[in-house]
Amino acid sequence: MDVYEAVDSRRAVRAFNDEPVPKEVLERVLTAATRAPSSGNLQPWHVYVVTGEPLADLKKHTTARALAGDPGDEREYPMYPDELASPYLDRFSAAATQRYEALGIERDDPDRPKKIAALNSQAFGAPVVLFCYLDRMMGPGQWADAGMYVQTVMLLLRAEGLHSCPQVMWTMYRNTVSRTVGADDDLVLFCGISVGFEKEDVPRLRTGRADMTETVSFIGV
Ligand SMILES: Cc1cc2nc3c(=O)[nH]c(=O)nc-3n(C[C@H](O)[C@H](O)[C@H](O)COP(=O)(O)O)c2cc1C
């Protein structure tokens, strides 16, 4: 698979089957991903790979919290800016509409937030979740590094025939996650990445994008 194909075929997949992911595949991907760049070569991320019984247990606890309408743990970083304006708000709304339609959740369903949280808490059925943490002392530059690292992992997963879904939703239950993985207080949870093989016979969601010319300016060419 070439890089263009890996980038184009990566989607946030929200329906995984329960086929296990061999440990040697995860090791191959995570070893290759150590080549991700970072400013000053700090490599500021720390990843916990959770599967099997510990993941089943974690899903059980977080799903129970979601279904009880638990608002979640105090956030350590905002998911989005408070004042999200156009064009970002338009893109956000368009993607949310596409996403909920694909998941079969009605826009006016009063239980929509609970249902979304519960699906996320189940890691959309994925048999593996990678939890990506950063040292609490790190700043915006290192958060950007962590984003590059996560994308590197997700593209390498495509080369192995695997799919993924990055999930900031796990930060809602960060205390439960940190207890499961044994992360100490010096670490901040950036996101979880659900990993697995995609379920057959589910709608394939290809989320729209702004045209390249809306987000890129060529100067001097
Ligand atoms: C850091 C990050 C966090 C995300 N968190 C969630 C999440 O909690 N739940 C979810 O369903 N999708 C999540 N997504 C997926 C985005 O919704 C998705 O990438 C975006 O809508 C574009 O769709 P695509 O990745 O399928 O092309 C997240 C993506 C990123 C990069």
Side-chain angles (χ1 to χ4, degrees):
M1 178 177 286
D2 77 9
V3 181
Y4 280 89
E5 202 182 336
V7 170
D8 196 62
S9 67
R10 188 218 54 81
R11 293 174 286 116
V13 162
R14 297 186 180 87
F16 295 91
N17 65 32
D18 52 13
E19 186 179 337
V21 180
K23 187 176 179 197
E24 57 270 25
V25 173
L26 293 169
E27 283 175 337
R28 191 157 56 232
V29 164
L30 294 168
T31 301
T34 63
R35 300 305 307 169
S38 56
S39 186
N41 202 26
L42 260 56
Q43 305 155 73
W45 46 80
H46 189 89
V47 174
Y48 293 92
V49 181
V50 185
T51 187
E53 205 52 49
L55 182 60
D57 225 46
L58 174 63
K59 286 179 179 179
K60 196 175 82 189
H61 285 105
T62 52
T63 305
R65 290 185 67 180
L67 291 174
D70 181 335
D73 302 319
E74 192 190 338
R75 309 295 191 272
E76 294 192 285
Y77 74 94
M79 277 190 199
Y80 307 103
D82 288 339
E83 306 283 318
L84 203 57
S86 189
Y88 311 110
L89 185 61
D90 313 323
R91 294 174 191 160
F92 177 86
S93 306
T97 304
Q98 272 193 295
R99 186 159 64 244
Y100 302 142
E101 260 172 27
L103 291 171
I105 300 173
E106 301 292 335
R107 230 184 150 56
D108 53 2
D109 184 340
D111 283 335
R112 192 173 80 156
K114 263 192 216 173
K115 286 182 180 171
I116 292 164
L119 283 169
N120 271 278
S121 301
Q122 287 290 316
F124 303 107
V128 179
V129 182
L130 314 179
F131 290 101
C132 183
Y133 283 82
L134 280 134
D135 200 296
R136 195 170 290 286
M137 69 182 303
M138 297 299 174
Q142 290 72 47
W143 282 75
D145 292 340
M148 280 186 261
Y149 173 78
V150 167
Q151 170 73 334
T152 302
V153 169
M154 295 192 297
L155 296 182
L156 288 163
L157 289 167
R158 288 307 301 126
E160 298 284 353
L162 287 156
H163 276 285
S164 60
C165 185
Q167 290 174 271
V168 70
M169 283 287 282
W170 286 106
T171 62
M172 282 178 65
Y173 309 117
R174 63 184 174 83
N175 288 334
T176 311
V177 175
S178 292
R179 256 196 311 279
T180 299
V181 301
D184 66 36
D185 276 352
D186 293 346
L187 294 176
V188 178
L189 179 60
F190 165 33
C191 67
I193 312 164
S194 293
V195 175
F197 294 95
E198 191 174 19
K199 232 181 199 170
E200 301 281 324
D201 306 325
V202 288
R204 301 273 186 271
L205 175 62
R206 188 167 170 86
T207 308
R209 290 292 192 273
D211 191 79
M212 183 271 280
T213 53
E214 278 184 47
T215 56
V216 178
S217 303
F218 288 88
I219 315 292
V221 263

